[in-house]
Amino acid sequence: MAESAERNGQRRLRPAPLVFEPAEATADPEHFFDLESLDDPRELLARATELTLAFRAAKDRAIEFQAMAAAQLADPRRFDRLTAADVAERAEWTEDYARRMIDFGRDLLRAGGTPTDD
């Protein structure tokens, strides 16, 4: 299962290790991290839960990196800074969401840079 880590008083899930699949396995649309080969429903539930937690943690971490990148791109100190509308267009977001992500990214950068502990 996932382990938890403490950072700034927040509990964070550390993703379960994801096993990268060989290219020939990923070519099969029915193949998904070898879950289809598990016969024991207890084992299937445990592994599927691990994967769910790992993907959630990865999603959260990726969003934090998106926010930090958006904040850096919109930094007024940059001569080539982007507007919120430009960031929104690049990331395929709404302009309002881009503004919120830029603000979130600035908060993360002020707090120390890297979004999560490994």
Side-chain angles (χ1 to χ4, degrees):
M1 283 284 165
E3 301 169 25
S4 63
E6 291 284 331
R7 182 170 189 257
N8 297 333
Q10 283 186 320
R11 293 181 60 83
R12 295 207 177 250
L13 291 177
R14 296 185 75 188
L18 295 178
V19 178
F20 289 97
E21 300 182 277
E24 61 273 2
T26 57
D28 178 5
E30 297 299 315
H31 188 82
F32 188 73
F33 290 92
D34 210 27
L35 293 179
E36 69 285 344
S37 70
L38 299 177
D39 293 326
D40 179 1
R42 288 178 189 93
E43 186 179 351
L44 177 59
L45 179 61
R47 183 62 181 145
T49 301
E50 286 177 344
L51 287 170
T52 298
L53 294 173
F55 288 128
R56 283 182 191 157
K59 176 194 67 100
D60 291 345
R61 190 165 185 201
I63 288 170
E64 290 174 343
F65 278 106
Q66 280 183 310
M68 290 189 321
Q72 290 170 336
L73 289 169
D75 187 337
R77 296 172 296 187
R78 289 177 60 114
F79 77 93
D80 62 345
R81 79 177 170 151
L82 299 179
T83 65
D86 294 331
V87 172
E89 184 178 337
R90 284 181 181 228
E92 299 180 9
W93 296 333
T94 65
E95 191 171 340
D96 180 58
Y97 186 74
R99 279 191 213 96
R100 288 184 285 152
M101 287 293 278
I102 290 166
D103 290 341
F104 178 46
R106 286 177 179 152
D107 291 343
L108 288 170
L109 290 168
R110 275 192 291 272
T114 56
T116 56
D117 293 331
D118 281 328

